[in-house]
Amino acid sequence: MSRVHKVATVQFEPTMFEKERNIARLIELCEAAALAGARLIVTPEMGTTGYCWFDRAEVAPFVETVPGPTTDRFTALARKHDCYIVIGMPEIDSDGIHFNCAVLIGPDGVIGQHRKSHPYISEPKWAAAGDLGHQVFDTPIGRIALLICMDIHFVETARLVALQGANVICHISNWLAERTPAPYWISRAFENGCYLIESNRWGLERTVQFSGGSCVIAPDGTVSAVIDGGDGFAVADMDLDATRARRVGGEAVFVQRRPELYAGLLSDTFSWNPRDFFKLYGHRPWPPGRISQITVAQMQPGGDVEVNLASIASLARQAKLQSGSDLVVFPELAVSGLVETGARAQPIPGPVTDRLCRLAAELNMHIVVGLAERDGGAIYNSACLIGPEGLVAVYRKIHLTDAERNWASPGDAWVVADTPVGRIGLLIGHDASFPEAGRILALEGCDLIACPAAVKERFSSPHPGSQVPQDHPIPTGADPYHWHHFRVRAGENNLYFAFSNVFNPEEGYPGLSGVFGPDTFEFPRREAIAPDVEGTATATMDTTNLDTVYPTNVVRRKDLVAMRMPHSYRALITKAAD
C-alpha cells in the first residue's frame, strides 16, 4: 500500500440561500482536484449553504440528514474518482436537532461525521453543540479526523484525535479576524506530529469578512501549499510515515507524555465566576491586579557557574535600569550550563540560590532562573522563582527530552506561586511542547507562565529579512513573525507567556525569546520578541480590572478557557500514546 498520497484543500465562497449553486460549484472544484491526483479533498465549513444564519427557522429549509441527498451527490463523485471528500453542511437528526456538521465521504458512501463540539458565537442561534465526540476514521489512505473551525482553538480536540492515531486532521472552517494560514492551525499540526488540511472559506457574508488562506500543513509545521484568496484548490503530498513517530523537534513526544499528571484537564474552573471560585473557602484568592513589566533575558550559558551568574546579574540590572522590570526570566540551565550539566548541580536552597536571592532583593524584582538541582542522589532540571522575599518556588521539569534522561530525573508536580506580580506558573523548555502543561496552569488561574528554555527545534516562521525563506508563502503581517508557537500558547490559555530561550546559533539555539499576551486576536499584539543577539525584551503585563463583580480583564476572565468542554476530554488522562 502506498504511504504517500496527494491531498487537496478547496477554498470557496458560498452564497446564502443558493444551496444548489453552492453544491454544484463545490462538485466542480472537487472534481478538478481529483483530476489533479488528489485522493483526499477537503471543502469549507457550511460550504453547501453559507454560515451566518439568524435562527433555526431561517436555516431550516437547507438542513439535511446524513446520509442524504447532498452526501449522495458527493459519494457519486468519490466513487467516480476513487477518492475521499470532506464536506461541511447543516445537519438535522431524527429528533429535529440541528448541527454544524463535517462529513467524510468515500467511494462507498458516508464513512463518518463530526458535529462541531465547541460552538462559536453563531452556532447557538440555530445549532446544538456536537454530541459525537472526537473520532478517527480508518480509510485506505490513512486515519482521518475531522474538526470544525472553533474546535481547533482548544488544544484538547486535536490531541484527542492524535492520540487515536490520526495521520491527518481535516479542519474545515469559516475563519476570520487574522492573517491566514492561522498560527493555531500550524501549532496543532506541529505539536501533534500530524498533517492538517485546512479548508477555509473567503469573502463577505452579513458584514463578516472571512480570511481564506486554505492550506496543507505538514507535521513539522511547514505550510506545503496555500491559497491566499478566491475560489480554487491547492494540492500537496501527504506522507503517512512522517506521522508515525509523533516527533516535535526530534523528540517522540507522545511516549514522553505524563497522563498520570493530567487529571486537572477535566476540571471546569472558569465555568464559574473566577473571582468567586479562586477565593472559595478563603483559599488562594488572586493577588491584586496591577501593571508589571515582564522581561525575558536571552543569553548563552557556558560551563562556568561564576561566569553564568555574572551574566545573570548584568542582564537583571540592565532590565531594571532600562525597563523598570518587575520580573526577569532567564533560560533553562542558565546557571549550570548545557554541557556536562549534572557535574554542576546545586542544592536548593544553597549558596547559588542565596546569591540570587540577594540580587532579587537588591533590585526589588522577581527572577526565574534555570539550574541543575541536586537533591540527595537525584538530579533535576529545575527552575527557581526568587523574589525580594527570598526563594518563592522550585519547579522540576516534568517532560524530559531523551538526552536529559541520561542525567536528570523527571519532576512530578506542577508549581503555581502567588507573587505581587501575579499568579505565576512554571514550565521548562520542552515542557511547553506539551499543550496539556500550559492548559493545566491556566486552569489554576495563572496570569503568567514563566518558561526558561533551551529549545533548538523550529517553533516560528523565520523573519522575512533573514536568509531563511519564509514558509510557502505566508503573508507578513504587522509583526515580523507570523507564527511563534509560544505566542499560541499564551493566546489559547488567555495568559502571558514569558519564554526565555538560549541564544547560541552555532549550537542550533535560535533565541527568539519573547513575552506574549493573552488575547490571540488583539492587534497590535501585546508582546516583545528579543532580537537576534544576547540581551532582553520587555512587555507590559496588565492584570487590572474595573471594580465589577465579574473580571473585566481577559487574563483573569479567560474567555477561551471558559468555553472548553472537559466532559469529552477523559481520554487525555487514560489513553496511552499510540
Side-chain angles (χ1 to χ4, degrees):
M1 180 190 299
S2 174
R3 302 290 294 176
V4 179
H5 304 284
K6 285 195 180 300
V7 299
T9 176
V10 169
Q11 187 161 285
F12 171 60
E13 181 185 21
T15 302
M16 296 187 78
F17 307 105
E18 296 189 19
K19 180 178 175 181
E20 177 55 37
R21 177 258 181 197
N22 296 333
I23 292 171
R25 178 62 172 145
L26 282 170
I27 287 175
E28 179 184 326
L29 289 165
C30 288
E31 182 144 39
L35 290 171
R39 299 290 315 285
L40 175 59
I41 303 164
V42 184
T43 69
E45 176 186 16
M46 297 285 286
T48 64
T49 63
Y51 182 72
C52 300
W53 298 100
F54 288 146
D55 51 33
R56 280 175 52 86
E58 190 181 45
V59 77
F62 306 102
V63 298
E64 283 188 34
T65 59
V66 175
T70 294
T71 61
D72 289 347
R73 292 172 70 176
F74 283 93
T75 296
L77 183 64
R79 184 179 301 117
K80 177 181 177 182
H81 294 285
D82 189 29
C83 65
Y84 298 81
I85 303 170
V86 177
I87 66 168
M89 58 177 283
E91 177 197 4
I92 185 169
D93 74 0
S94 58
D95 294 320
I97 306 300
H98 297 166
F99 297 96
N100 182 338
C101 186
V103 188
L104 174 62
I105 298 166
D108 297 323
V110 171
I111 296 170
Q113 69 203 88
H114 171 70
R115 294 168 174 167
K116 191 172 185 177
S117 57
H118 293 70
Y120 185 57
I121 191 172
S122 57
E123 270 79 27
K125 288 180 173 291
W126 65 273
D131 56 2
L132 298 178
H134 302 89
Q135 306 171 76
V136 175
F137 304 102
D138 274 313
T139 76
I141 61 169
R143 291 177 59 79
I144 298 172
L146 309 175
L147 294 177
I148 303 176
C149 203
M150 189 74 178
D151 289 338
I152 214 163
H153 281 77
F154 302 89
V155 299
E156 294 87 354
T157 59
R159 199 59 141 190
L160 284 164
V161 296
L163 284 168
Q164 296 174 65
N167 302 115
V168 58
I169 297 171
C170 300
H171 182 238
I172 68 174
S173 66
N174 282 196
W175 203 268
L176 59 144
E178 67 175 344
R179 267 312 224 158
T180 51
Y184 273 105
W185 307 345
I186 299 169
S187 282
R188 296 297 171 258
F190 176 75
E191 70 198 9
N192 289 299
C194 64
Y195 284 88
L196 188 139
I197 305 174
E198 169 61 43
S199 176
N200 188 32
R201 72 159 291 171
W202 69 283
L204 186 69
E205 184 177 279
R206 284 185 166 166
T207 74
V208 181
Q209 182 66 55
F210 298 100
S211 52
S214 302
C215 57
V216 179
I217 304 171
D220 65 354
T222 299
V223 178
S224 304
V226 65
I227 310 166
D228 192 21
D231 285 4
F233 68 91
V235 176
D237 285 337
M238 177 177 71
D239 182 354
L240 300 182
D241 288 337
T243 70
R244 278 185 165 180
R246 307 290 176 185
R247 292 191 174 275
V248 175
E251 299 289 332
V253 292
F254 277 24
V255 299
Q256 296 169 352
R257 292 177 74 248
R258 302 287 302 279
E260 72 278 11
L261 300 179
Y262 298 162
L265 293 172
L266 302 189
S267 67
D268 206 4
T269 304
F270 285 85
S271 60
W272 293 95
N273 183 340
R275 279 189 164 173
D276 294 334
F277 180 89
F278 287 112
K279 68 180 182 182
L280 190 64
Y281 316 131
H283 177 64
R284 295 195 69 186
W286 269 320
R290 56 172 279 179
I291 304 291
S292 303
Q293 301 305 311
I294 308 299
T295 298
V296 288
Q298 190 163 269
M299 60 177 283
Q300 179 179 321
D304 188 317
V305 171
E306 287 300 320
V307 171
N308 293 338
L309 287 170
S311 295
I312 289 167
S314 175
L315 287 167
R317 291 190 173 95
Q318 174 186 317
K320 191 67 175 183
L321 179 65
Q322 295 181 356
S323 305
S325 295
D326 299 290
L327 171 73
V328 184
V329 183
F330 290 90
E332 182 174 0
L333 300 171
V335 171
S336 310
L338 303 176
V339 180
E340 298 179 355
T341 304
R344 291 181 290 279
Q346 307 285 330
I348 302 176
V352 165
T353 54
D354 289 346
R355 289 172 62 177
L356 292 169
C357 288
R358 290 194 292 273
L359 177 66
E362 172 198 336
L363 299 177
N364 191 31
M365 66 162 47
H366 284 77
I367 295 171
V368 176
V369 64
L371 72 164
E373 175 194 1
R374 184 180 297 279
D375 183 7
I379 298 176
Y380 300 93
N381 185 341
S382 297
C384 294
L385 171 59
I386 293 167
E389 66 273 44
L391 180 63
V392 177
V394 180
Y395 169 70
R396 293 167 172 174
K397 189 174 185 179
I398 284 175
H399 301 93
L400 299 180
T401 66
D402 291 341
E404 286 169 336
R405 292 179 183 278
N406 293 327
W407 62 269
S409 299
D412 59 6
W414 309 104
V415 171
V416 174
D418 287 337
T419 75
V421 174
R423 180 163 293 173
I424 299 173
L426 298 176
L427 296 177
I428 301 175
H430 189 54
D431 274 329
S433 297
F434 297 79
E436 298 91 342
R439 182 66 97 211
I440 286 168
L441 296 180
L443 291 167
E444 290 289 329
C446 286
D447 302 310
L448 169 75
I449 292 176
C451 183
V455 179
K456 287 185 176 182
E457 68 260 24
R458 174 180 180 272
F459 53 81
S460 73
S461 297
H463 191 294
S466 74
Q467 298 303 306
V468 181
Q470 245 183 317
D471 283 341
H472 170 90
I474 296 176
T476 302
D479 58 81
Y481 297 96
H482 178 78
W483 170 64
H484 194 301
H485 191 43
F486 303 110
R487 177 195 291 140
V488 175
R489 281 284 176 268
E492 70 198 13
N493 290 303
N494 298 134
L495 46 70
Y496 291 86
F497 197 100
F499 169 75
S500 174
N501 198 29
V502 171
F503 180 73
N504 186 348
E506 292 183 0
E507 297 296 327
Y509 296 99
L512 294 175
S513 305
V515 182
F516 301 102
D519 190 339
T520 296
F521 300 110
E522 181 182 44
F523 299 96
R525 300 185 190 277
R526 278 187 271 177
E527 68 181 33
I529 299 179
D532 297 336
V533 293
E534 291 193 74
T536 63
T538 301
T540 299
M541 182 172 83
D542 181 359
T543 59
T544 62
N545 286 277
L546 299 177
D547 186 18
T548 59
V549 172
Y550 199 81
T552 58
N553 190 324
V554 67
V555 76
R556 295 252 161 126
R557 196 176 62 231
K558 296 202 189 312
D559 299 333
L560 194 57
V561 177
M563 290 186 278
R564 297 167 68 249
M565 299 288 184
H567 56 276
S568 63
Y569 302 159
R570 188 175 181 88
L572 294 175
I573 69 168
T574 59
K575 190 172 179 64
D578 67 328

